[in-house]
Amino acid sequence: MTTAIYKATKEIRWHGRGGQGTVTAAKMLASAAIIRGKYGQAMPEFGLERSGTPVKVSTRISDKPINTRAPVDNPEVVIITDPSLMFTIRDIIVSGTDENTVFVVNTNFPPEKVRQILGIGNNELWIVDASKIAMEEFGRNIPNTAVLGAVAKATGIVDLEALEEEIKDAFGASSKLRNVLDQNLKALRRGYEEVYKA
């Protein structure tokens, strides 16, 4: 399913906007890997997340202890949770990438437009309209959960069941949050099912 080259440590970089759950998604991905017996870390690179501002987050998942907290400069996977960033910080998004970098993009743009905007040629590209899923499930553009499902499908770095477990742990068994939990699980599964390799 994935063409990513196997390495002991997977380095992932996220690009999103504050308030859309990008930092939370990065942390959940790392935590889901830990559930499966791996090592994981996630850290924002530009300080605290502020609503609407660009956010860059590094995630590492490894078979062995991670001994660095440096930003991810040469990502194997780049995840774009807000498509408008392709126009405003394109150079930051593609910095340190090469022809083997896998891109997972939240957008409703056709694949050829995404490739043209990012200048990524023949890179492996996965597209999911996570914003549409978020609006349908939450009534707000919080695409992080749907993007997580897409990342699981596109990369195989973690499995869907581990992410479901992580989301359930995050919301707990509170009946007050039951509806929110169900919405997030549905968005996660839809992201997994609706992402496609372009």
Side-chain angles (χ1 to χ4, degrees):
M1 179 180 301
T2 177
T3 61
I5 298 170
Y6 180 81
K7 285 169 56 178
T9 300
K10 302 288 187 186
E11 295 197 320
I12 302 146
R13 196 168 66 211
W14 302 70
H15 297 275
R17 289 192 183 276
Q20 293 184 327
T22 305
V23 174
T24 299
K27 290 178 179 177
M28 284 187 161
L29 185 68
S31 294
I34 292 168
I35 287 172
R36 290 297 185 245
K38 294 182 180 289
Y39 296 88
Q41 69 172 207
M43 53 198 170
E45 295 181 30
F46 292 147
L48 296 175
E49 182 178 16
R50 294 195 329 205
S51 184
T53 60
V55 173
K56 183 162 70 164
V57 189
S58 293
T59 300
R60 285 186 179 88
I61 294 170
S62 184
D63 295 336
K64 41 189 190 179
I66 301 167
N67 297 315
T68 179
R69 292 194 63 78
V72 169
D73 291 326
N74 301 107
E76 294 167 75
V77 180
V78 169
I79 302 162
I80 304 170
T81 61
D82 189 299
S84 69
L85 295 175
M86 293 189 292
F87 298 97
T88 59
I89 60 165
R90 177 218 171 261
D91 290 346
I92 294 172
I93 289 172
V94 299
S95 68
T97 64
D98 61 25
E99 66 276 5
N100 296 312
T101 306
V102 176
F103 288 81
V104 181
V105 183
N106 165 30
T107 186
N108 59 8
F109 295 160
E112 57 273 16
K113 183 171 183 179
V114 175
R115 290 187 184 280
Q116 179 184 28
I117 295 166
L118 293 176
I120 57 172
N122 294 320
N123 285 70
E124 185 173 328
L125 172 64
W126 294 76
I127 290 179
V128 62
D129 194 345
S131 292
K132 176 185 172 211
I133 293 170
M135 292 302 296
E136 291 174 355
E137 299 303 332
F138 309 120
R140 294 188 297 157
N141 185 19
I142 306 176
N144 62 332
T145 314
V147 169
L148 268 176
V151 170
K153 177 77 167 283
T155 68
I157 288 172
V158 295
D159 58 272
L160 187 65
E161 292 75 19
L163 287 170
E164 289 174 337
E165 191 174 333
E166 175 60 24
I167 288 172
K168 288 173 184 175
D169 286 347
F171 288 100
S174 170
S175 59
K176 290 197 291 190
L177 296 176
R178 183 69 203 185
N179 187 49
V180 178
L181 170 61
D182 289 344
Q183 289 172 325
N184 275 276
L185 289 172
K186 188 173 180 186
L188 177 78
R189 291 171 190 139
R190 284 189 61 187
Y192 186 90
E193 292 164 1
E194 295 178 28
V195 69
Y196 66 94
K197 187 176 180 180

